């Protein structure tokens, strides 16, 4: 009991120090970003013949319902030169047929690029006209495998990953590519903001009116996303220690990703794993590099509104996080990897991978101590108050950073609702998530040991929009 | 222990209150800006549209907010206008005192204010902005210097061009993207000014940028300089090859063919040379490209296939011969290229 109390106190102090530092960095980074970014600069970039062309890769598995609208909206993005590559990953519905009819595609032959490994290609389709669209129909191999196929068939130096059920704002791609234009030699990956589209009015693959969701579960996720993106990613990006570029929306340098080996097939958190590997690869090679989070380009995605889908998604994200930390454990506390090895990855391991176990153990020990009459209730209550209040501090800080960032769709009418949900999440939502994570970790360790993990159909949640790729849990 | 914890709780509560207060202030400020935008934007847009359609003048802005919004709308419009309409609108912004204000703001202590001023002068870019822009290239902030140098590259005379080149050299490593925009502006407005950069008078970064711009703008007058860069290090040679392909320089076919065939060079630079040969489209490159269909490197082989497809009948004949090859990967490649 005493040992745990000391451990929990140290854990909390470390959590507060790291997260407060990251929040302060986030505020400074947004200020710096706003001082540099100019609207005329973006328009100039869009007209410049030096702006790099981008291949947008859309991995799709049974997305017949919305794929044609998604592709139309991607082809119409504000960007100088882009191509869209849809990789149908063993779809058993009419995903490919829908695209063939919507864009008048015909089968074509293409040399099979040998850069990365991916499941066999069934057929490739291209339009009859000049539309820059390619549809790669391949055997099922998972999202990482589909992305590898997309990278292999891409023609341009940069590629952007977008989930088939996600929607990019008109200028999101240009804003996310801007760091590559400003610093073409060093920038290897950039990511933008993911927002939850539940509750928004969507027309032809575009969000035309932004609203907060009605569903409580989706509202909790909005709070998590705001905290995770504005409070955390922006801060880590300031010291080039960003560990996650969402699979739902990220831009990468194709040659560097190919050199680093592409996405790891079978990984549960392929987006997280790739970014950590890029850090490792570039640091090992002594290559100057930057991985940047850009706070204002927005990709809209639909969040799960049913507990069972959320549980499945969070289980996948959490195990992906644990798996990646295990794969790259040699980087932990290794000064060779700079801020990533010394701070960001250890913080991820401690607070995200071990956090659920520490929290659950805390509840169990507190209950046992209460049953034995060995608890100081005032001290316990104050400790709980600190935990909850600090969560609110992080949320309020992230909301302030978010509000300082320009947006096309502000939520001016809803701040109080967001804050209310930030308080409410402490009453069950958070504990339930921690239980899911702890249970999945125990189950995972018991069933598979700590060796390589086999993928078991969790790559795409059964709910539309539950995020084929996603983020590991948003740090709290 | 309990007292210490209570103190921490108090501290947290205070911090939370401060952050919530700061957020509320940010929201209020943003909401106020949005309110003003909604109020004045239609008037500013209609005023500028009317002025461009022939109205003699604009109704004077009523306050600082409307004035700032009018400038924002004017700058946005200027970025998309060319010719006499551009001149007319830039002249209006000058008459309304924005150039004088921005020139004065370049002396501000705040880098953000100087950057805004430099960007404003760079977009207006009338002769009246020259003194401000010339002062701006000596600024301590890299973004201010580069914005001013970019505008000077478009409208400046010989003195200004020397300052532009000096700024580009100075900041090529610190702000490569901004310097690329300067070199692009230079190439668009004064193509001849790229010659010393291509000749290597400046550093290797600027040389590569100048080569990229010469290719992107298809400046045939620099084809000779680009040809001479084919023997340079790989990155520069690849950029030069791409430029020659974009220009369509038939005189470069021999040099490009030699580069494509040189197995001491990296595959990337050879691919660039092969792609350029395909873009130029001269059938005399077929004897060089046909053996490359058997190259061990996939990218080189594939680039050669697609380049041959661009060389009309002799190229397609070479591909048909390759379609009968005993090696499956060559047969598949030729089949795919011929079928595409």
């Amino acid at each position: 009991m005493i040992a745990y109390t000391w451990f929990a106190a140290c854990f909390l102090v470390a959590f507060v120090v790291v997260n407060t530092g990251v929040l302060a960095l986030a505020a400074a980074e947004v200020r710096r970003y706003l001082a540099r970014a100019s609207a005329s600069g973006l328009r100039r970039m869009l007209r410049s013949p030096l702006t790099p062309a981008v291949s947008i890769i859309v991995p799709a598995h049974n997305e017949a319902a919305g794929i044609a609208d998604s592709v139309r909206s991607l082809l119409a993005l504000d960007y100088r030169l882009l191509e869209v590559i849809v990789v149908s990953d063993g779809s058993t519905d009419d995903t490919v047929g829908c695209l063939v009819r919507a864009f008048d595609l015909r089968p074509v032959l293409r040399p099979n690029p040998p850069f990365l490994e991916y499941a066999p290609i069934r057929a490739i389709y291209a339009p009859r006209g000049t539309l820059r669209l390619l549809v790669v129909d391949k055997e099922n191999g998972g999202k990482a495998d589909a992305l590898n196929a997309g990278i292999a068939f891409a023609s341009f130096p940069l590629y952007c990953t977008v989930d088939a059920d996600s929607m990019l704002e008109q200028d999101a791609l240009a804003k996310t590519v801007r760091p590559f234009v400003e610093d073409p030699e060093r920038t290897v990956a950039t990511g933008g903001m993911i927002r939850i589209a539940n509750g928004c009015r969507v027309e032809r693959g575009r969000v035309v009116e932004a609203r907060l969701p009605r569903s409580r579960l989706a509202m909790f996720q909005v709070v998590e996303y705001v905290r995770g993106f504005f409070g955390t990613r922006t801060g880590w990006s300031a010291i080039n220690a960003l560990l996650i570029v969402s699979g739902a929306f990220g831009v990468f340098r194709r040659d560097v990703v190919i050199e680093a080996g592409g996405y790891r097939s079978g990984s549960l958190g392929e987006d997280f794993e790739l970014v950590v590997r890029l850090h490792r690869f570039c640091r090992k090679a002594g290559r100057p590099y930057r991985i940047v989070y850009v706070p204002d380009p927005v990709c809209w995605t639909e969040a799960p509104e049913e507990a069972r889908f959320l549980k499945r998604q969070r289980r996948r994200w959490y195990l992906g996080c644990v798996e990646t930390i295990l794969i790259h454990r040699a980087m932990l506390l290794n000064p060779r990897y700079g801020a990533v090895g010394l701070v960001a990855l250890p913080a991820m391991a401690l607070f995200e991978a071990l956090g659920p176990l520490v929290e659950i153990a805390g509840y169990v020990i507190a209950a046992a101590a209460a049953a034995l009459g060995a608890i100081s209730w005032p001290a316990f209550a104050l400790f709980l108050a600190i935990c909850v209040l600090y969560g609110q501090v992080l949320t309020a800080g992230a909301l302030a950073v978010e509000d300082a960032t320009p947006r096309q769709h502000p939520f001016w009418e809803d701040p109080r609702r967001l804050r209310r949900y930030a308080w409410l999440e402490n009453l069950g939502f958070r504990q339930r998530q921690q239980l899911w994570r702890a249970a999945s970790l125990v189950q995972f360790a018991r069933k598979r040991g700590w060796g390589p993990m086999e993928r078991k159909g969790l790559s795409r949640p059964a709910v539309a929009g539950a995020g084929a790729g996603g983020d590991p849990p948003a740090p709290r | 222990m309990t007292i210490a914890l209570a103190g921490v709780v108090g501290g947290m509560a205070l911090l939370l209150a401060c952050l919530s207060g700061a957020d509320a202030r940010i929201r209020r400020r943003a909401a106020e800006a949005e309110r003003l935008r909604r109020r004045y934007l239609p008037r500013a847009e209609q005023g500028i549209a009317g002025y461009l359609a022939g109205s003699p003048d604009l109704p004077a802005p009523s306050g600082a907010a409307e004035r700032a919004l009018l400038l924002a709308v004017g700058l946005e419009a200027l970025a998309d206008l060319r010719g006499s309409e551009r001149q007319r609108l830039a002249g209006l912004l000058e008459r309304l005192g924005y150039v004088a204000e921005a020139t004065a703001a370049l002396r501000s202590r705040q880098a953000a204010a100087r950057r805004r001023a430099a960007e404003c002068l760079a977009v207006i870019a009338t002769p009246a902005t020259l003194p401000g822009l010339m002062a701006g290239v000596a600024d301590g902030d890299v973004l201010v210097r580069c914005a001013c140098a970019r505008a000077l590259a478009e409208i400046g005379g010989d003195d200004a061009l020397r300052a532009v080149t000096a700024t580009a050299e100075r900041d090529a490593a610190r702000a490569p993207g901004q310097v690329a925009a300067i070199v692009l502006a230079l190439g668009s407005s004064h193509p001849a000014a790229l010659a010393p950069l291509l000749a290597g008078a400046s550093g290797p970064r600027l040389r590569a940028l100048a080569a990229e711009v010469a290719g992107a703008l298809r400046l045939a007058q620099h084809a000779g300089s680009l040809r001479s860069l084919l023997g340079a290090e790989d990155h520069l040679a690849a950029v030069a090859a791409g430029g020659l392909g974009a220009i369509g320089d038939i005189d470069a076919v021999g040099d490009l063919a030699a580069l494509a065939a040189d197995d001491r060079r990296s595959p990337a630079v050879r691919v660039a040379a092969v792609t350029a040969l395909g873009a130029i489209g001269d059938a005399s490159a077929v004897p060089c490209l046909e053996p490359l269909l058997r190259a061990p490197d996939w990218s080189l082989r594939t680039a050669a296939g697609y380049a041959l497809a661009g060389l009309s009948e002799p190229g397609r004949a070479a591909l048909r011969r390759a379609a009968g090859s005993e090696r499956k990967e060559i047969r598949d490649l030729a089949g795919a290229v011929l079928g595409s």
Side-chain angles (χ1 to χ4, degrees):
Chain A
M1 167 78 182
I2 292 170
Y4 179 78
T5 305
W6 278 108
F7 172 73
C10 294
F11 187 88
L12 184 63
V13 168
F15 185 80
V16 169
V17 169
V18 170
N19 285 286
T20 307
V22 171
L23 187 60
L25 284 170
E29 178 68 4
V30 163
R31 207 182 149 91
R32 196 191 67 84
Y33 175 75
L34 293 177
R36 285 182 75 92
S38 75
S40 57
L42 195 69
R43 278 197 303 278
R44 208 171 37 248
M45 183 193 118
L46 285 172
R47 281 199 305 266
S48 167
L50 303 182
T51 299
V54 178
S55 304
I56 300 181
I57 301 174
V58 187
H61 177 73
N62 293 346
E63 300 280 358
I67 191 72
D69 273 351
S70 293
V71 170
R72 257 185 222 109
S73 89
L74 290 172
L75 285 166
L77 286 175
D78 281 345
Y79 201 76
R80 194 181 66 86
L81 182 55
L82 59 82
E83 66 175 356
V84 175
I85 300 175
V86 180
V87 184
S88 171
D89 186 41
S91 293
T92 50
D93 68 354
D94 197 27
T95 299
V96 174
C98 281
L99 288 167
V100 167
R101 287 189 296 280
F103 298 99
D104 190 21
L105 306 179
R106 64 190 170 102
V108 292
L109 290 169
R110 286 285 159 101
N112 227 2
F115 309 127
L116 299 166
E117 285 183 11
Y118 45 86
I121 304 292
R122 293 171 179 165
I124 296 175
Y125 301 87
R128 290 171 205 281
T130 54
L131 203 64
R132 290 193 170 270
L133 171 64
L134 192 71
V135 175
V136 178
D137 184 15
K138 63 181 270 295
E139 301 288 343
N140 181 258
K143 189 180 176 191
D145 194 80
L147 287 168
N148 282 342
I151 296 169
F153 281 96
S155 331
F156 295 141
L158 300 182
Y159 77 87
C160 171
T161 58
V162 180
D163 280 352
D165 48 20
S166 298
M167 294 161 282
L168 295 189
E169 284 188 351
Q170 197 63 21
D171 58 1
L173 182 63
K175 284 178 174 170
T176 317
V177 169
R178 185 153 52 184
F180 289 95
V181 174
E182 286 174 352
D183 194 352
E185 281 176 29
R186 292 194 307 150
T187 309
V188 297
T190 59
M193 168 75 189
I194 310 290
R195 281 189 185 279
I196 288 176
N198 304 45
C200 296
R201 196 154 64 84
V202 177
E203 283 175 13
R204 296 187 74 79
R206 285 204 190 293
V207 169
V208 292
E209 188 185 359
R211 292 266 161 215
L212 288 177
R214 288 188 189 156
S215 141
R216 288 181 57 179
L217 213 53
M219 272 303 294
F220 288 132
Q221 293 171 73
V222 171
V223 175
E224 282 184 327
Y225 274 51
V226 167
R227 208 166 35 217
F229 281 89
F230 287 102
T232 308
R233 290 192 194 185
T234 317
W236 288 122
S237 173
I239 52 169
N240 199 23
L242 180 68
L243 293 180
I244 306 161
V245 169
S246 271
F249 179 36
V251 179
F252 297 82
R253 241 177 83 170
R254 182 170 169 264
D255 59 344
V256 178
V257 170
I258 288 175
E259 259 186 89
Y263 290 88
R264 187 186 165 94
S265 277
S267 171
L268 285 171
E270 71 289 324
D271 43 6
F272 179 28
E273 200 280 327
L274 175 69
V275 175
V276 176
R277 188 145 38 83
L278 285 176
H279 279 292
R280 192 172 185 172
F281 173 78
C282 293
R283 293 260 180 189
K284 253 183 152 170
R287 166 191 205 136
Y289 76 102
R290 291 195 321 152
I291 295 178
V292 183
Y293 172 70
V294 193
D296 61 342
V298 174
C299 170
W300 295 89
T301 192
E302 205 177 329
E305 291 190 351
E306 284 182 48
R308 63 194 169 116
F309 295 129
L310 182 68
K311 179 181 176 181
R312 193 189 292 185
Q313 183 194 56
R314 294 305 160 97
R315 178 182 182 273
R316 187 173 66 83
W317 289 1
Y318 177 66
L319 291 182
C321 168
V322 173
E323 179 195 51
T324 300
I325 289 166
L326 288 174
I327 291 168
H328 297 285
R329 57 186 177 275
M331 293 173 75
L332 287 168
L333 299 175
N334 189 338
R336 182 178 185 184
Y337 299 104
V340 176
L342 291 176
V343 196
L345 203 59
M348 187 66 97
L350 193 61
F351 306 134
E352 293 304 328
L354 293 179
L357 297 182
V358 173
E359 191 169 332
I360 301 296
Y363 295 132
V364 172
I365 290 171
L372 297 170
I375 197 166
S376 158
W377 285 109
F380 179 67
L382 286 168
F383 188 80
L384 271 187
I386 291 171
C387 295
V388 172
L389 271 175
Y390 189 64
Q392 300 310 308
V393 165
L394 290 183
T395 306
L399 279 171
V401 173
E402 183 201 25
D403 288 334
T405 311
R407 275 175 288 167
Q408 280 186 15
H409 297 290
F411 293 119
W412 304 120
E413 70 280 22
D414 290 318
R416 264 178 255 130
R417 203 167 153 228
L418 270 176
R419 289 217 187 85
R420 197 166 63 241
Y421 273 87
W423 285 101
L424 285 175
E425 70 176 345
N426 292 296
L427 304 176
F429 177 74
R430 207 188 71 210
Q431 290 80 359
R432 188 163 53 160
Q433 283 210 71
Q434 300 294 51
L435 271 173
W436 290 342
R437 288 173 183 154
S440 62
L441 187 65
V442 171
Q443 197 183 10
F444 170 70
R446 205 185 281 160
K447 275 189 179 170
R448 306 212 177 275
W450 292 106
M453 180 158 30
E454 189 186 331
R455 212 168 141 279
K456 280 284 178 190
L458 287 166
S459 70
R460 294 192 69 80
V463 64
D471 318 300
R476 286 190 37 87
Chain B
M1 173 77 166
T2 310
I3 292 170
L5 286 175
V8 176
V9 169
M12 291 272 182
L14 191 65
L15 184 57
L16 179 58
C18 289
L19 282 172
S20 302
D23 185 27
R25 270 198 307 280
I26 292 170
R27 274 178 183 269
R28 265 200 308 277
R29 222 178 294 155
E32 176 61 10
E34 179 67 13
R35 189 185 66 77
L36 291 170
R37 201 182 72 85
R38 283 189 186 160
R39 184 169 164 194
Y40 293 125
L41 187 66
R43 226 161 82 177
E45 284 176 343
Q46 281 166 15
I48 286 184
Y51 181 76
L52 287 173
S55 295
D57 222 328
L58 273 181
S62 59
E66 190 177 1
R67 217 177 133 67
L69 209 57
L70 185 68
L71 175 64
V73 173
L75 294 181
E76 199 176 327
L78 272 181
D80 296 326
L81 290 174
R82 293 286 173 274
S84 60
E85 279 188 326
R86 187 184 198 290
Q87 274 178 7
R88 191 153 183 261
L89 182 54
L92 173 74
L93 295 178
E94 203 180 300
R95 277 203 309 284
L96 288 173
Y98 290 113
V99 171
E101 271 175 31
T103 307
L106 275 178
R107 290 190 290 275
S108 166
R109 282 184 170 191
Q110 292 179 335
R114 296 203 307 279
R115 285 174 191 172
R116 276 195 302 274
E119 200 58 47
C120 170
L121 290 177
V123 176
I124 296 176
T126 55
T129 61
L130 277 171
L133 293 171
M134 284 300 282
V137 286
D139 196 276
D141 183 85
V142 64
L143 293 182
V144 175
R145 281 198 303 273
C146 288
C148 293
R150 196 184 66 239
L152 285 173
E154 286 170 9
I155 60 166
D158 288 347
D159 281 357
L161 292 188
R162 272 193 292 279
V164 168
T165 314
T167 307
E169 269 178 49
R170 176 180 172 186
D171 294 322
R174 282 182 71 191
Q178 305 291 334
V179 170
I182 296 173
V183 178
L184 182 64
L186 202 60
S188 305
S189 305
H190 302 91
L194 291 185
L197 302 184
L198 284 167
S202 312
R205 279 174 198 270
L206 267 190
R207 204 177 189 195
L209 265 178
E212 202 175 343
V213 167
L217 297 177
R218 298 181 179 153
L219 301 175
Q221 70 210 80
H222 293 305
S225 303
L226 292 179
R227 282 198 298 273
S228 69
L229 290 178
L230 291 177
E233 51 92 14
D234 281 353
H235 171 67
L236 200 49
V239 171
L244 289 165
I247 291 169
D249 180 30
I250 289 188
D251 293 343
V253 169
D255 292 341
L256 286 168
L259 181 59
D262 187 349
D263 53 13
R264 291 164 302 174
R265 304 298 294 259
S266 76
V269 72
R270 295 176 72 192
V271 166
V274 165
T275 308
L277 286 170
I280 293 169
D282 187 72
S284 66
V286 172
C288 156
L289 292 174
E290 194 171 356
L292 293 178
L293 288 171
R294 291 185 291 278
D297 183 83
W298 183 89
S299 302
L300 188 55
R301 218 161 53 222
T302 308
Y306 282 103
L308 281 168
L311 302 188
S312 58
E313 186 44 38
R316 298 187 77 79
L319 285 168
R320 281 194 294 274
R321 285 194 291 278
S325 165
E326 69 287 358
R327 282 169 58 188
K328 183 179 181 304
E329 69 271 20
I330 298 172
R331 279 200 312 274
D332 288 351
L333 169 64
V337 175
L338 285 167
S340 66

